[in-house]
Amino acid sequence: MPRTYKHLFFDLDHTLWDFDANARETLTGLYSDLQLEKRGVHNFDLFYKNYLVHNDKLWERYRKGFIKQNELRVKRMWLSLLDFKIADEALAKQMSEQFLELLPTRTILFPHAIELLQYLQDKNYELHLITNGFETVQHSKLKHSGLAPFFKEVITSEGSNSLKPEKEIFEYAFKRANAVPDSSIMIGDTVEVDILGAKNAGIDQVYVNHVGNTEQVNSTYTVTSLQQLFDIF
């Protein structure tokens, strides 16, 4: 029989908050403000594309414990500049600092995010976040984007001293939310992090496939937009 859910645990980046769109908007501003074209970054679209690749790879290394938080933040800029033969560590650090200051103030959400959360809240679900992001940064995103009022508990990797897909971050979240696995479900976009992590913790999962991934994913539910979650809950 289908489970009856009470606690819905959401991922933030790439699930509700459109990281790629917000990052692009932020980097576009830095490209102009720091005059990166004059410094040798002749193609912004290529720079941005490379940044996303480096960011994803570095986040994977961070999740596995190979690098620290500050190395991730600076190295993604350093490597993106190095693609254009710009070996300027001071510029990479400046970009990292300004990026982290500006990015959390961006407000682009995936379609139907606010109306979905309002609908779920009105139906008396308890909504929480489990995110591998950093404490201050994630809370700033929630505040500026208008998402903060919907969530009872916000569990970050930094605050819990653990990372998805590790079982420990979910167990920490259950304690904080006073939740049990049988009445909980995880909603996220990353198979290796959100879906496998939820399985490790013994809870159901919704795979949010915003990007049109054609891989067969063995999850409790799969949706291609937030709007489809209205049919599940």
Side-chain angles (χ1 to χ4, degrees):
M1 289 184 61
R3 292 183 179 179
T4 300
Y5 305 111
K6 179 181 178 183
H7 297 273
L8 310 187
F9 291 91
F10 279 86
D11 174 52
L12 180 59
D13 295 340
H14 305 282
T15 298
L16 296 170
W17 194 82
D18 193 338
F19 180 92
D20 291 357
N22 287 304
R24 184 182 183 93
E25 192 175 83
T26 305
L27 287 171
T28 299
L30 291 180
Y31 186 79
S32 174
D33 293 345
L34 299 176
Q35 299 184 314
L36 295 184
E37 186 172 11
K38 291 182 179 179
R39 296 173 185 250
V41 183
H42 55 80
N43 185 325
F44 173 77
D45 288 337
L46 179 58
F47 175 83
Y48 173 69
K49 180 181 177 182
N50 291 351
Y51 163 81
L52 291 179
V53 172
H54 293 309
N55 186 57
D56 286 347
K57 289 180 178 178
L58 288 166
W59 264 103
E60 184 176 356
R61 290 181 59 76
Y62 174 72
R63 285 194 296 267
K64 292 179 178 178
F66 296 143
I67 61 174
K68 299 294 185 182
Q69 176 187 126
N70 193 57
E71 185 179 353
L72 183 158
R73 290 172 164 178
V74 176
K75 200 168 185 179
R76 59 189 176 184
M77 299 300 177
W78 165 258
L79 292 173
S80 299
L81 290 171
L82 210 58
D83 289 334
F84 291 86
K85 298 181 170 53
I86 304 169
D88 190 333
E89 189 173 352
L91 177 59
K93 287 181 178 179
Q94 182 182 9
M95 289 180 66
S96 175
E97 289 171 3
Q98 292 188 18
F99 181 78
L100 285 169
E101 180 181 343
L102 295 170
L103 179 67
T105 68
R106 304 299 183 188
T107 60
I108 303 172
L109 303 175
F110 283 100
H112 310 291
I114 295 290
E115 62 183 283
L116 170 68
L117 295 174
Q118 187 63 64
Y119 164 82
L120 294 172
Q121 193 175 69
D122 290 344
K123 293 193 72 174
N124 295 318
Y125 287 105
E126 293 197 19
L127 310 180
H128 316 284
L129 277 172
I130 305 180
T131 167
N132 278 352
F134 308 118
E135 189 83 7
T136 302
V137 173
Q138 299 303 75
H139 279 281
S140 183
K141 290 175 184 175
L142 293 171
K143 175 187 172 184
H144 285 94
S145 64
L147 293 176
F150 294 104
F151 294 102
K152 184 176 179 182
E153 297 293 342
V154 176
I155 311 302
T156 68
S157 54
E158 190 174 19
S160 65
N161 199 31
S162 184
L163 285 156
K164 294 180 293 183
E166 295 169 7
K167 188 176 180 180
E168 289 77 9
I169 191 171
F170 290 91
E171 292 175 340
Y172 177 84
F174 296 153
K175 288 179 183 177
R176 281 273 300 269
N178 195 25
V180 294
D182 281 349
S183 62
S184 302
I185 190 168
M186 180 72 205
I187 302 162
D189 71 289
T190 308
V191 177
E192 298 81 4
V193 177
D194 300 307
I195 306 308
L196 293 184
K199 288 182 177 182
N200 289 340
I203 66 174
D204 285 355
Q205 329 86 38
V206 180
Y207 173 48
V208 183
N209 184 11
H210 284 304
V211 296
N213 177 22
T214 57
E215 172 193 355
Q216 186 66 35
V217 175
N218 183 22
S219 55
T220 312
Y221 304 96
T222 296
V223 298
T224 56
S225 74
L226 296 179
Q227 189 175 26
Q228 292 175 355
L229 292 173
F230 287 92
D231 298 328
I232 296 174
F233 302 106

